[in-house]
């Protein structure tokens, strides 16, 4: 165990021993406290575990090797995903230790695309519940149901979804599922209108409406809208660093104006407005959004969603008032520096479109972001070839490096998971009242500064974003930026944040980050123990003992 730090007195500190009121079988059945064969001989005596475990005391590393052998023996990705979910239900520390030790290999199993398949099969793979389930038919019970998980002091943030738009796999309350006897959700059509007002993975119209409603009053974040926007903007800023282009001068075409597309547009617009003297309306003029009917136009009227209205172009911009409806014509007219795909239309970025773009800019910045891989707008190797090696690329799923004329070009994965953990960490530790535009821009800048292309002095062969394996260190950088901005804007409610001293702020953050290691347990009396020490919180997640 590392020695206690100067910040071990903080409520979220992860240094020093941890109180535990559980003993015997109850302790082994707690996913958070359970160490399995790694309980020491002293622990086994103190917590009444003698006779309940094999005699050999093992290390976390030895447990990890065994678990990895079990993992690789599973026959396919979905089976591996199910194995990992089962492990998390038994031993949270071992789950995350195994994941951190093999993150690159396992990421596509515990996240997209395999997690999408697991969600689609949730009702058939279900073993035990995790989190809270709120029914629209029992809204009067929401408070009591949430209280089943824990009290106000047990919760730092809440992740909410209605399952309508998850990982590009569609509505998890669709007709096919409703007709399945094993489906665990309500067997009825979705509630709409005034009866529905409950963020992440909501459908397009609900996501934006809910975000706009609550964001002025609380620290509120929608990953589909803002998370995708932030990580994409960071990749753009890395590409601008390589190309030498300025935010104020770039032209952006976004193909696919749904939740993700308009979220990206918002972050780009806000960054331009923050970094220049332009208004948000003027900044939006640098962005062209295309949806299924074509370029967004003001004449589309009520067809436009609230998120799309800001990016609707005046019909008078186009000759004869007739705007082009196909992507190639838009590219010919706009001559974009940046082309982003969130359309889920596979192969939409054709060779003629890409070559037309490359005619007009030195460094085409092209991001086919649709997931899963089969829905990508283009393959990186084709983009490199069609632009004679000049394209700067980020994708929505992992791709191997591309070889071109003897040079290896890294392909960045534009994955929200390198961004939102740091934003959440900064907001939680600073106890920010709100999550402002400037806080998100600060997060983007911090993420950009950690990209290989930026760190290697604008080397175009390096990735535009850091790899997911660096997510913990990257999250510290992002959290520092978010916290400093929250303090500057007067939004931070946590006293005593050492923002003026870089090493101290770094230690202050890291001491409150949960780590995948076994902490010493301190036996306490049950009658005076906290809910956490009693194992009474309703989820196997980390809870209020540090942030992952």
């Amino acid at each position: 165990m590392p020695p206690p730090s100067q910040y071990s007195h903080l409520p979220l500190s992860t240094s020093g021993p941890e109180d535990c009121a559980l003993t015997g079988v109850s302790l082994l059945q707690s996913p958070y406290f359970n160490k399995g064969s790694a309980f020491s001989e002293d622990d086994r005596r103190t917590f009444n575990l003698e006779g309940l475990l094999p005699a050999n005391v093992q290390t976390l590393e030895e447990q990890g090797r065994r678990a990895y052998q079990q993992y690789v023996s599973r026959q396919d990705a979905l089976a591996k995903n199910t194995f990992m979910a089962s492990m998390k239900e038994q031993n949270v520390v071992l789950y995350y230790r195994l994941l951190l030790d093999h993150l690159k290999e396992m990421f596509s199993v515990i996240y997209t695309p395999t997690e999408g398949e697991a969600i689609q099969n949730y009702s058939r793979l279900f073993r035990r519940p995790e989190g809270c389930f709120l029914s629209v038919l029992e809204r009067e019970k929401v408070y009591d149901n949430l209280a089943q998980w824990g009290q106000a002091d047990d919760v730092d943030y809440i992740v909410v979804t209605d399952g309508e738009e998850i990982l590009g796999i569609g509505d998890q309350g669709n007709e096919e599922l409703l007709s399945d006897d094993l489906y665990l959700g309500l067997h009825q059509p979705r509630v709409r209108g005034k009866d529905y007002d409950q963020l992440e993975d909501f459908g397009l119209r609900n996501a934006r409406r809910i975000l706009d409603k609550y964001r002025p009053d609380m620290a509120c974040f929608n990953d589909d809208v803002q998370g995708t926007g932030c990580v994409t903007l960071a990749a753009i800023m890395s590409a601008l660093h390589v190309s030498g282009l300025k935010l104020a001068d770039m032209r952006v075409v976004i193909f696919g104006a749904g939740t993700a597309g308009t979220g990206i547009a918002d972050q780009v617009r806000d960054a331009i407005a923050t970094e220049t003297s332009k208004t948000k309306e003027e900044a939006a003029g640098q962005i062209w959004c295309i949806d299924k009917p074509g370029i967004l136009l003001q004449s589309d009227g009520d067809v436009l969603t609230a998120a799309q209205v800001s990016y609707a172009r005046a019909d008078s911009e186009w000759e004869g008032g007739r705007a082009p409806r196909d992507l190639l014509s838009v590219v010919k007219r706009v001559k974009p520096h940046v082309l982003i795909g969130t359309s889920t239309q596979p192969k939409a970025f054709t060779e003629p479109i890409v070559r037309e773009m490359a005619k007009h800019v030195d460094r085409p910045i092209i991001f086919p972001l649709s997931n899963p891989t089969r829905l990508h707008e283009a393959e990186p190797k084709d983009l490199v070839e069609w632009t004679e090696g000049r394209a700067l690329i980020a994708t929505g799923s992992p791709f191997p490096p591309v070889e071109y004329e003897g040079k290896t070009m890294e392909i960045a994965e534009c994955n929200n998971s390198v961004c939102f953990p740091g934003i959440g960490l900064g907001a939680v530790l600073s106890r920010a009242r709100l999550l402002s535009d400037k806080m998100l821009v600060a997060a983007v800048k911090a993420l950009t500064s950690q990209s290989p292309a930026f760190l290697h002095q604008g080397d175009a062969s390096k990735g535009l974003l850091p790899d997911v394996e660096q997510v913990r260190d990257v999250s510290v950088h992002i959290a520092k930026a978010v916290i400093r901005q929250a303090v500057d804007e007067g939004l931070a409610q946590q006293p005593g944040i050492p923002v003026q001293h870089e090493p101290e702020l770094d230690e202050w953050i890291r001491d409150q980050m949960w780590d995948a290691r076994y902490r010493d347990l301190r036996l306490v009396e049950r009658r005076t123990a906290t809910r956490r020490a009693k194992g009474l919180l309703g989820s196997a997640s980390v809870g209020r003992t540090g942030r992952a």
Side-chain angles (χ1 to χ4, degrees), residues 167-447:
L167 297 177
I169 61 174
D171 188 354
Q172 295 309 291
N174 60 42
E175 276 190 43
E176 181 182 356
L177 289 169
L178 294 181
S179 62
D180 185 346
D181 291 340
L182 294 181
Y183 179 60
L184 289 168
L186 290 175
H187 287 253
Q188 66 173 52
R190 284 194 175 276
V191 171
R192 301 294 186 191
K194 65 180 182 179
D195 290 333
Y196 180 101
D197 201 359
Q198 289 135 347
L199 226 319
E200 154 50 348
D201 291 328
F202 289 153
L204 173 57
R205 293 180 182 273
N206 283 330
R208 173 64 57 168
R209 178 177 60 82
I210 294 169
L211 182 63
D212 290 344
K213 177 178 180 178
Y214 292 107
R215 198 175 178 216
D217 300 315
M218 65 181 70
C220 193
F221 183 81
N222 182 293
D223 188 47
D224 272 356
V225 177
Q226 295 163 296
T228 302
C230 284
V231 74
T232 305
L233 176 58
I236 290 173
M237 292 179 76
S238 294
L240 296 183
H241 181 71
V242 173
S243 67
L245 187 68
K246 295 180 179 179
L247 266 175
D249 300 325
M250 73 173 179
R251 298 181 296 277
V252 181
V253 168
I254 299 176
F255 185 62
T259 305
T262 54
I264 292 168
D266 284 351
Q267 294 305 317
V268 172
R269 177 201 62 193
D270 293 349
I272 294 172
T274 299
E275 297 299 303
T276 69
S277 59
K278 294 185 178 183
T279 64
K280 285 190 176 183
E281 291 73 22
E282 291 170 332
Q286 296 179 219
I287 303 167
W288 287 257
C289 292
I290 303 173
D291 211 27
K292 291 174 183 176
I295 197 86
L296 300 185
L297 296 173
Q298 292 174 0
S299 60
D300 291 333
D302 293 341
V303 175
L304 300 172
T305 67
Q308 293 172 339
V309 169
S310 299
Y311 304 101
R313 316 293 298 197
D315 295 57
S316 59
E317 287 185 23
W318 315 96
E319 186 176 347
R322 293 189 297 274
R325 291 299 189 181
D326 63 289
L327 180 57
L328 178 58
S329 297
V330 173
V331 168
K332 285 181 177 179
R333 170 66 185 271
V334 175
K335 301 177 177 58
H337 301 94
V338 183
L339 176 60
I340 298 170
T342 55
S343 67
T344 68
Q345 293 186 27
K347 309 299 182 185
F349 294 172
T350 63
E351 183 174 355
I353 290 171
V354 174
R355 289 194 180 277
E356 178 64 30
M357 180 183 181
K359 279 185 195 176
H360 306 289
V361 294
D362 293 332
R363 282 286 188 183
I365 301 169
I366 308 178
F367 297 171
L369 301 182
S370 291
N371 276 319
T373 307
R374 61 183 172 80
L375 300 180
H376 263 41
E377 287 81 5
E379 296 279 331
K381 59 182 177 58
D382 291 333
L383 298 177
V384 171
E385 181 181 337
W386 297 338
T387 61
E388 292 79 39
R390 292 183 288 126
L392 300 172
I393 303 167
T395 57
S397 293
F399 278 90
V402 174
E403 299 289 333
Y404 184 78
E405 294 186 351
K407 195 167 189 177
T408 301
M409 306 180 69
E410 297 175 7
I411 305 300
E413 182 183 357
C414 211
N415 195 306
N416 298 17
S417 61
V418 298
C419 188
F420 68 75
I423 294 174
L425 180 64
V428 167
L429 296 187
S430 65
R431 296 178 60 224
R433 291 188 296 106
L434 304 173
L435 190 55
S436 69
D437 289 346
K438 289 183 178 180
M439 289 167 69
L440 295 181
V441 172
V444 169
K445 288 181 178 180
L447 178 56

Side-chain angles (χ1 to χ4, degrees), residues 238 242 393 409-413 450-455 459-466:
S238 294
V242 173
I393 303 167
M409 306 180 69
E410 297 175 7
I411 305 300
E413 182 183 357
Q450 299 303 300
S451 73
F454 191 93
L455 293 172
D459 186 342
S461 68
K462 302 298 182 182
L464 300 177
L465 290 167

Side-chain angles (χ1 to χ4, degrees), residues 15 33 49 52 61 92 127 137 296 324 390 395 518:
S15 60
F33 288 121
L49 298 173
L52 298 179
E61 290 69 27
V92 168
R127 293 184 178 180
L137 300 182
L296 300 185
R390 292 183 288 126
T395 57
Y518 291 132

Side-chain angles (χ1 to χ4, degrees), residues 43-63:
D43 280 343
R44 296 179 189 211
R45 287 191 293 270
T46 301
F47 290 93
N48 197 26
L49 298 173
E50 292 176 309
L52 298 179
L53 292 165
N56 186 26
V57 176
Q58 295 190 310
T59 65
L60 179 57
E61 290 69 27
E62 288 170 328
Q63 289 180 317

Side-chain angles (χ1 to χ4, degrees), residues 1 12-19 32-33 35 43 93 514-515 517-522 545-546:
M1 283 288 296
L12 298 182
S13 174
T14 61
S15 60
E18 185 169 20
D19 289 347
Y32 180 73
F33 288 121
K35 301 181 184 180
D43 280 343
V93 171
W514 188 84
D515 196 9
R517 55 179 171 78
Y518 291 132
R519 294 176 64 182
D520 289 339
L521 297 182
R522 177 172 52 210
T545 48

Side-chain angles (χ1 to χ4, degrees), residues 89 119 122-123 125-150 158-163 166 172 182-186 198 538-540:
E89 293 168 357
I119 292 169
Y122 177 80
S123 294
L125 298 174
F126 179 82
R127 293 184 178 180
R128 61 180 291 180
E130 183 176 13
C132 294
F133 298 83
L134 305 178
S135 172
V136 72
L137 300 182
E138 298 179 327
R139 282 170 289 179
E140 73 282 358
K141 297 181 180 179
V142 167
Y143 182 89
D144 291 337
N145 291 346
L146 287 173
Q148 290 272 70
W149 194 96
I158 302 173
V159 179
V160 186
T161 181
D162 68 355
I166 298 177
Q172 295 309 291
L182 294 181
Y183 179 60
L184 289 168
L186 290 175
Q198 289 135 347
S539 170

Side-chain angles (χ1 to χ4, degrees), residues 2-16 496-498 501-512:
S5 79
Q6 63 176 313
Y7 300 113
S8 59
H9 64 283
L10 295 172
L12 298 182
S13 174
T14 61
S15 60
I497 304 174
H501 306 282
E502 182 78 12
E504 288 188 23
L505 180 57
D506 194 279
E507 181 185 354
W508 187 84
I509 292 171
R510 290 182 185 276
D511 189 73
Q512 298 178 86

